[in-house]
Amino acid sequence: MAAIIGDACGGRQLINDARTHDQRVRARPALGLARGMALDMYAGIPVTDHATALGWYQRLLGSPSYVASDTEAVWELGEHRSIFIELRPEQAGHAMHTIIVDDLDELVAQIAERGLDAIERETYSNGVRKAIYRDPDESEIQFGGAPL
């Protein structure tokens, strides 16, 4: 199953020279990344209790790719795309990540088999769908999928 966590240099092009300077600046990739520049994503989720969070994220994502320390675990979702939990109680509960997958229904079923159900499912007017999960600290992990 493919997983993608944002692509900051994903194909934005200036297609209308009549736009103002401010419009053109806003259309550039974030962080000044040049088109085609290699990009790795290492997205963090602060947690208040590492053991509790580790159990919850194992039900959500499966076994971690590696446990970096007693306070950090990492899941590689795809090549150069990872998500990690880290013990940082003062920052816990504020993460929000969306992961786009090629088969949302299959992933939601796999997660349910591991004992977690989405707290909400939503379909946008264009048919794009998402399933929302909240960890014990209230950080939000969303999985999105293309229209059926």
Side-chain angles (χ1 to χ4, degrees):
M1 182 173 292
I4 302 170
I5 302 176
D7 184 357
C9 47
R12 288 186 174 180
Q13 298 177 20
L14 294 177
I15 56 173
N16 181 355
D17 291 335
R19 293 185 294 175
T20 68
H21 172 73
D22 288 343
Q23 289 170 325
R24 288 192 303 272
V25 168
R26 281 194 300 271
R28 293 185 185 144
L31 304 174
L33 295 173
R35 187 176 175 158
M37 180 182 286
L39 175 69
D40 288 6
M41 179 67 73
Y42 195 69
I45 303 166
V47 300
T48 57
D49 181 295
H50 186 262
T52 299
L54 181 60
W56 191 88
Y57 279 94
Q58 284 177 320
R59 289 192 308 280
L60 183 71
L61 302 170
S63 296
S65 302
Y66 59 95
V67 176
S69 70
D70 290 342
T71 61
E72 184 179 354
V74 179
W75 287 262
E76 293 179 1
L77 303 177
E79 186 175 10
H80 307 292
R81 293 172 181 94
S82 298
I83 195 166
F84 69 97
I85 60 168
E86 185 174 12
L87 183 62
R88 290 189 179 198
E90 66 284 353
Q91 297 171 342
H94 300 286
M96 188 168 98
H97 298 296
T98 300
I99 303 163
I100 309 300
V101 297
D102 62 357
D103 191 337
L104 180 62
D105 294 329
E106 174 63 23
L107 178 64
V108 168
Q110 289 175 8
I111 294 169
E113 287 174 9
R114 293 191 294 265
L116 284 181
D117 292 315
I119 61 160
E120 186 179 341
R121 296 217 36 187
E122 195 172 326
T123 302
Y124 294 103
S125 60
N126 64 0
V128 171
R129 301 164 301 127
K130 72 178 179 179
I132 302 168
Y133 298 83
R134 284 206 185 93
D135 76 7
D137 292 311
E138 298 296 315
S139 286
E140 191 170 284
I141 307 299
Q142 304 176 19
F143 293 98
L148 293 175

